[in-house]
Amino acid sequence: MSDIIIIPFGKSVPLSPSDSAFAHGFGIFETMHYADGQIDFWHYHWARLSKSARYFSLPLPAENAVLSALRTHVCESALDQGILKISLMKESAGSQLYVYSREQIAAPSNRRLRLDESCPIFEGSTLVGHKTHNYMEAMHLMGLARNRGDYDILRVDSKGHLAETTSANFFFVKSGHIHTPALETGILPGVTRTALLSNKDLEIKSGLYTPKTLLDAEAVFVTNASSGVQLIEQLYGLPDQKTIHFSTDVPTISLVQSAFTSIRADHATQLI
């Protein structure tokens, strides 16, 4: 059984310390961009949440019930735009689905990534492919990056292949072609990544790439549900300590930005 708990904006609810959600972070969640009465990429979010709920044997309410709860939250909180979130948490008698929101967090102005090979992603983990509440490692690494003045870090998998940042999927442009690390590296199948890959006009290639692949890349960008497409201007931390500078004004990037705007409009779900 799974109940839905709607948390008004700025409010909180208690969690039992004896439940696995509190004690172990046993839960999955989705972070969704909301504006103009619409949720971006709802169907992608719901598909990923449903798949993970089945994998972890977490009872999930019906989709219509969840959309109704999101609608209630938006109306009662008088939310015009921001980030909607749903968390499915393990409880002693099943699960609870929490509906809540937060303000949009502005992306850092510094568009510099640091390659960090000291904390590889283990692509064999049972949590791979799932957006779980076990985010302590990612948040710790992001905090260290922000304290250095970086946008984020670029991680690798245990075999040294390029993977993702702590909060976004990674793409690069080389010889006019768009590339992104394959799911085999243990990355999260982000909804924005999935949506871009579904666009045949972009012809994005996924594969296994080493950091040296980026030495002659023309452009780099990262994607996630809350910030969309964000351009990266610099990368450092390569073995030779060379800082690579990327262009933000190349035709392929303009194509990606235009495609993203179109895809987002096509995959928006009207909530109110």
Side-chain angles (χ1 to χ4, degrees):
M1 178 179 178
S2 180
D3 295 324
I4 299 176
I5 297 177
I6 302 173
I7 307 175
F9 181 79
K11 303 296 182 179
S12 60
V13 294
L15 289 176
S16 171
S18 62
D19 284 334
S20 196
F22 179 93
H24 314 117
F26 199 130
I28 54 180
F29 71 102
E30 292 293 326
T31 302
M32 303 165 289
H33 183 264
Y34 172 80
D36 301 321
Q38 298 179 326
I39 299 177
D40 293 344
F41 305 118
W42 165 256
H43 296 298
Y44 286 121
H45 283 291
W46 183 254
R48 184 172 65 183
L49 185 75
S50 299
K51 181 179 179 180
S52 293
R54 290 191 297 271
Y55 180 83
F56 292 111
S57 299
L58 292 172
L60 180 65
E63 181 179 4
N64 286 341
V66 177
L67 283 171
S68 178
L70 286 164
R71 190 174 298 112
T72 298
H73 173 79
V74 165
C75 292
E76 291 183 350
S77 299
L79 190 67
D80 294 324
Q81 60 181 4
I83 302 299
L84 290 175
K85 303 193 71 170
I86 49 178
S87 289
L88 186 64
M89 310 294 289
K90 184 176 179 62
E91 305 287 343
S92 57
S95 63
Q96 297 270 23
L97 187 127
Y98 296 87
V99 173
Y100 53 111
S101 63
R102 63 166 171 79
E103 294 180 346
Q104 175 79 53
I105 300 173
S109 57
N110 190 333
R111 299 309 173 93
R112 182 180 64 194
L113 290 180
R114 176 178 179 269
L115 176 68
D116 192 334
E117 300 179 89
S118 68
C119 50
I121 294 171
F122 176 48
E123 61 275 13
S125 169
T126 57
L127 300 184
V128 162
H130 304 285
K131 195 173 179 71
T132 76
H133 274 277
N134 300 85
Y135 248 61
M136 182 175 174
E137 179 182 59
M139 293 298 96
H140 174 63
L141 293 172
M142 177 188 282
L144 294 176
R146 297 286 167 85
N147 288 340
R148 288 191 301 266
D150 295 333
Y151 184 92
D152 206 338
I153 66 168
L154 175 57
R155 305 181 70 184
V156 297
D157 68 8
S158 65
K159 298 176 183 177
H161 300 120
L162 295 173
E164 62 186 354
T165 74
T166 65
S167 61
N169 290 126
F170 180 80
F171 296 77
F172 64 93
V173 179
K174 190 169 182 176
S175 300
H177 298 290
I178 308 169
H179 302 264
T180 189
L183 294 179
E184 288 87 340
T185 60
I187 64 174
L188 181 74
V191 296
T192 305
R193 177 187 184 275
T194 302
L196 290 176
L197 283 168
S198 71
N199 186 288
K200 295 181 180 179
D201 292 336
L202 294 178
E203 297 183 350
I204 300 174
K205 301 177 181 179
S206 66
L208 302 177
Y209 309 101
T210 64
K212 289 184 178 180
T213 308
L214 301 176
L215 288 173
D216 53 354
E218 295 133 34
V220 162
F221 62 95
V222 296
T223 66
N224 64 24
S226 59
S227 299
V229 176
Q230 297 290 327
L231 304 184
I232 297 300
E233 298 176 355
Q234 298 178 45
L235 173 70
Y236 74 103
L238 291 164
D240 60 3
Q241 299 299 310
K242 177 181 179 181
T243 296
I244 309 173
H245 297 266
F246 304 109
S247 174
T248 58
D249 185 24
V250 297
T252 306
I253 290 297
S254 297
L255 179 63
V256 169
Q257 292 172 319
S258 176
F260 173 71
T261 299
S262 177
I263 295 168
R264 182 164 62 178
D266 291 341
H267 291 277
T269 295
Q270 198 69 42
L271 192 62
I272 59 173

